[in-house]
């Protein structure tokens, strides 16, 4: 499991929880405060998750993980 969190001025904005197997990173849970939405922190955190998957040698990223 990978947990990513974005912060601004010491306040948590967005958190993502992701799982992975040998080939795919799965975006399982995400949450953000209403005040965080205009900052784009959710998008930034999503891109950081994609980069982490790529650095980990994974071939796929599942945005929905239904």
């Amino acid at each position: 499991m990978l947990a990513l969190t974005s912060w601004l001025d010491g306040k948590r904005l967005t958190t993502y929880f992701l799982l992975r197997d040998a080939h795919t990173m799965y975006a399982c849970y995400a949450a953000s405060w209403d005040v965080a939405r205009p900052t784009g922190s959710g998008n930034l955190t999503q891109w950081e998750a994609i980069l982490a998957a790529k650095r980990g040698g994974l071939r796929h990223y599942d945005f929905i993980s239904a």
Side-chain angles (χ1 to χ4, degrees):
M1 176 156 73
L2 174 66
L4 297 173
T5 299
S6 62
W7 299 84
L8 180 63
D9 298 329
K11 296 177 182 168
R12 183 185 318 267
L13 296 178
T14 306
T15 300
Y16 276 62
F17 292 100
L18 305 111
L19 299 175
R20 64 171 284 177
D21 61 20
H23 303 286
T24 305
M25 178 82 77
Y26 301 93
C28 289
Y29 301 102
S32 64
W33 296 103
D34 289 339
V35 296
R37 291 191 182 117
T39 69
S41 63
N43 294 335
L44 175 62
T45 308
Q46 184 81 259
W47 276 107
E48 288 297 325
I50 293 168
L51 290 173
K54 186 174 180 177
R55 282 191 301 266
L58 302 178
R59 298 178 63 195
H60 304 283
Y61 185 90
D62 185 336
F63 288 88
I64 300 183
S65 187

